[in-house]
Amino acid sequence: MLIKEATSNLSVMELTHLGSGEVGYIRKIRFEDVARCFPDAPEIDPSTDLWALFAADGTPILLTDNRSSTFFKAAEDDLKTVSLH
C-alpha cells in the first residue's frame, strides 16, 4: 500500500524519469529482441547467450555475451543495478 500511495502522487513525466541516471537494469535478452533494442549490433550467432544493460527508462546501454560486463559498465556509469528475469 505504501508504494501505491507514493506513486499516486507522481505525474507521468516524473514517473518516466524515476531512476534516470541512477538505476540500470540487467536482463538476459533473446536473440529475437537484439535488432529492436540494439539496431547497430553486429551479426550475432543465435545460439549465443546475451545480456543487456538498460537505463531505468529502457534506453539500451550495453549488449554483451558476458553477464559480468554489464555490472562493470553499470559501475562505470555510477548506476545501481537491478536484474530482471
Side-chain angles (χ1 to χ4, degrees), residues 59-74:
T59 302
I61 297 172
L62 177 72
L63 176 67
T64 181
D65 63 349
N66 180 331
R67 186 171 183 257
S68 296
S69 296
T70 58
F71 290 100
F72 289 122
K73 177 62 175 164

Side-chain angles (χ1 to χ4, degrees), residues 29-32 34 41-50 63-65:
I29 188 168
R30 298 179 323 160
F31 174 77
E32 297 81 20
V34 170
E43 193 170 315
I44 298 171
D45 178 350
S47 66
T48 305
D49 285 337
L50 298 169
L63 176 67
T64 181
D65 63 349

